[in-house]
Amino acid sequence: MKRLSLAEARELAESILLHNGFNLAHAQAVAATVIAGERDGCASHGLYRVLGCVNSLRAGKVVADAEPRVIDQAPSIVRVDAAGGFSQLAFQAGLPLLEEKTRENGIAALAINRCVHFSALWVEIEQLTAAGLVALACNPSHAWVAPAGGSQPVFGTNPIAFGWPRSGNDPFVFDFATSAIARGEIELHRRAGQAIPEGWGVDADGQPSTDASVVLDAGAMLTFGGHKGSALAAMVELIAGPLIGDLTSAESLAYDAGSKSSPYHGELIIALDPRRFLGEATEQHLARAEVMFQSIQGQGARLPSQRRYEARARSLVEGVQIPEALYNDLKALLG
């Protein structure tokens, strides 16, 4: 394993992205996201993702100097045209207007179009909870996941993330794929030569498989919770696809044309302002939410993201460790 301070990890990511042709704005935005993943113990969304970012650029599937365009679509709707760049820069561009509209109206939505997406959504959700807002985000990806009862890919991993601000505490945040596992986790198993658990995917004939390469290259991933995960995946396809005028996971995969680049599609973020909903009673009702959190933790159960926050605290002191093989692959991109 190779140990890096967070500053060293960020410098490595930024230097690789700049060296390979991304402009400074994209390099900084993308590096901040992958370092957040690595810092919080989410290796599948950490420095490993830099490899895919460079591959997507070399395949011509991301615009290295794209400039997001913010569109004031409606009183409660913001659009950002990412112009073929990564979603991080587009989110940064649209965030101020989203916050403004949410505080004015109590609820507002940000639709990001024509973006390349590889990252976890909790990084964005935490920026909204830090502003005292409740938030929900989702997006399609590539068609890698079979619907419940089927064997052919239709859905993406289609994550859903939610955040609730907490005064004096880390926010309540969950972020999970509607697939049984994030695709990055299967990719990490393949890199390590490890079998995957049964239930993560099937082979080309729809039979259960524990071979990561078979699932990734010839078969399909599975949804979590059978028909329940399948229904949620379909919902994400609809509200972050046709509803915002962007691609479904199947259309994103067709656009990819076999290049194995990061997905190209849209993203939907919805923000709600508790103070506009509750007025003078805000603190009273937020305190009732704290009672629920205490009742969960009081019996020894953990809240979502608790392990991330614990990993974050460690990483701020100790830095992060990545496999030597990954470190070598990353350094090779500077050659």
Side-chain angles (χ1 to χ4, degrees), residues 250-331:
E251 292 167 338
S252 174
L253 188 61
Y255 172 83
D256 185 70
S259 72
K260 297 185 178 180
S261 300
S262 297
Y264 175 73
H265 49 67
E267 178 183 344
L268 178 66
I269 301 104
I270 300 171
L272 305 94
D273 185 356
R275 298 191 181 281
R276 290 290 278 169
F277 275 85
L278 298 168
E280 294 180 357
T282 299
E283 299 306 326
Q284 170 193 342
H285 293 294
L286 292 182
R288 293 174 56 234
E290 290 302 311
V291 172
M292 184 192 74
F293 296 136
Q294 292 163 10
S295 70
I296 294 170
Q297 293 182 294
Q299 57 184 296
R302 67 178 179 86
L303 297 178
S305 295
Q306 193 169 313
R307 286 188 294 194
R308 279 201 306 103
Y309 297 140
E310 291 167 356
R312 182 180 303 181
R314 288 193 303 271
S315 297
L316 290 172
V317 176
E318 302 172 1
V320 296
Q321 290 189 92
I322 63 173
E324 197 76 35
L326 173 58
Y327 180 73
N328 291 336
D329 287 345
L330 290 168
K331 292 291 285 186

Side-chain angles (χ1 to χ4, degrees), residues 26 73 108 133 154 160 191 196 198 210 245 272 278 283 291:
H26 271 293
Q73 180 79 9
L133 303 176
V154 174
I160 300 172
R191 285 181 64 88
I196 62 173
E198 193 167 311
T210 59
L272 305 94
L278 298 168
E283 299 306 326
V291 172

Side-chain angles (χ1 to χ4, degrees), residues 195-286:
I196 62 173
E198 193 167 311
W200 284 11
V202 295
D203 63 19
D205 298 319
Q207 298 302 307
S209 177
T210 59
D211 187 318
S213 292
V214 167
V215 171
L216 292 174
D217 298 334
M221 299 170 63
L222 297 175
T223 60
F224 83 88
H227 65 281
K228 294 181 180 180
S230 188
L232 287 172
M235 178 195 75
V236 171
E237 293 285 341
L238 295 170
I239 65 174
L243 179 66
I244 65 170
D246 222 306
L247 303 186
T248 63
S249 295
E251 292 167 338
S252 174
L253 188 61
Y255 172 83
D256 185 70
S259 72
K260 297 185 178 180
S261 300
S262 297
Y264 175 73
H265 49 67
E267 178 183 344
L268 178 66
I269 301 104
I270 300 171
L272 305 94
D273 185 356
R275 298 191 181 281
R276 290 290 278 169
F277 275 85
L278 298 168
E280 294 180 357
T282 299
E283 299 306 326
Q284 170 193 342
H285 293 294
L286 292 182

Side-chain angles (χ1 to χ4, degrees), residues 138-204:
C138 61
N139 61 262
S141 58
H142 280 335
W144 291 316
V145 182
S151 60
Q152 302 303 308
V154 174
F155 305 136
T157 52
N158 293 15
I160 300 172
F162 172 81
W164 179 276
R166 300 178 65 198
S167 178
N169 287 288
D170 292 318
F172 174 87
V173 175
F174 68 74
D175 179 1
F176 57 77
T178 52
S179 52
I181 194 73
R183 188 172 179 86
E185 291 290 348
I186 301 180
E187 291 171 340
L188 289 179
H189 276 69
R190 173 158 67 178
R191 285 181 64 88
Q194 298 173 342
I196 62 173
E198 193 167 311
W200 284 11
V202 295
D203 63 19

